[in-house]
Amino acid sequence: MGVHEPRGRRVEAKINGLRYSLLHYPGAGSPLVAIPGITTTAVGFDFIADALSADYEVVVPDLRGRGHSDRATAGHYGLDDYAADVDAIIAEFGFRDPLVLGHSLGARIAARWGAGRESHGPLVLVDPPLSGPHRPYPTPWSSFAAQLAEAKAGTTVDQVRGYYPRWPTRELELRIAELPSCDDQA
């Protein structure tokens, strides 16, 4: 298996009018939908999803505007849009009350999704950026913009390690390969 190959099986589905790419890890346990952060694709989440597949059946989407999923039209990258996508992903796989895990932006999406449901399975919110007027987003947009520009220009493991010093080399290489696929508007 090459460094850029995910351990999960790639699945495509039409979700809310967009072609979505998802990775499926058919574990023997309960269903889990894992929602990556703002500049993370499903492949970039592979090391987490693969570990979770020992206990869960895991599905990780390339969110709209990232990875191999379609780009949305301007203005269709809001939390309500993403929450509707989570509903469609759950329906696509026939899951009933899955555990929904979100990291960073994915945690905000999971929270919005859960808040709009009368009942649902467990929610796990990892590093949710609880921002507002007096609490800025923990990573400024300028940092994400710099990372996107560097990735599209051709970055190195050492440059990416500057942002994520504790990440293993494989995950840094995956980020280098996947980050250029993220739409700036997403």
Side-chain angles (χ1 to χ4, degrees):
M1 179 176 353
V3 72
H4 305 300
E5 294 177 43
R7 294 177 182 110
R9 174 179 68 92
R10 192 169 299 283
V11 175
E12 291 200 2
K14 196 71 161 179
I15 295 175
N16 295 328
L18 300 174
R19 183 188 49 80
Y20 249 72
S21 180
L22 307 104
L23 290 179
H24 181 226
Y25 302 75
S30 301
L32 185 158
V33 176
I35 309 168
I38 193 166
T39 56
T40 304
T41 64
V43 171
F45 215 73
D46 176 67
F47 68 108
I48 296 166
D50 185 56
L52 291 170
S53 71
D55 297 310
Y56 297 92
E57 177 182 0
V58 182
V59 171
V60 184
D62 275 340
L63 295 172
R64 53 177 62 208
R66 295 158 184 85
H68 298 278
S69 290
D70 284 346
R71 276 57 183 147
T73 57
H76 293 272
Y77 288 111
L79 290 177
D80 289 333
D81 299 308
Y82 291 121
D85 294 347
V86 172
D87 273 335
I89 291 165
I90 290 168
E92 177 72 24
F93 284 87
F95 292 159
R96 180 166 158 62
D97 295 331
L99 186 156
V100 175
L101 176 149
H103 172 255
S104 192
L105 172 63
R108 290 178 82 158
I109 294 167
R112 176 63 61 94
W113 174 82
R117 309 293 154 299
E118 195 167 298
S119 69
H120 53 75
L123 292 176
V124 177
L125 309 178
V126 180
D127 292 332
L130 304 172
S131 58
H134 303 293
R135 179 189 240 159
Y137 200 81
T139 303
W141 170 246
S142 59
S143 177
F144 288 126
Q147 291 176 57
L148 284 169
E150 290 168 7
K152 290 176 181 181
T155 191
T156 67
V157 168
D158 288 334
Q159 283 178 300
V160 178
R161 186 171 278 123
Y163 295 104
Y164 308 101
R166 296 187 303 206
W167 281 21
T169 299
R170 178 182 185 269
E171 278 62 49
L172 296 171
E173 290 172 340
L174 285 171
R175 184 155 179 86
I176 290 168
E178 293 290 305
L179 190 55
S181 74
C182 293
D183 182 348
D184 292 1
Q185 298 304 306

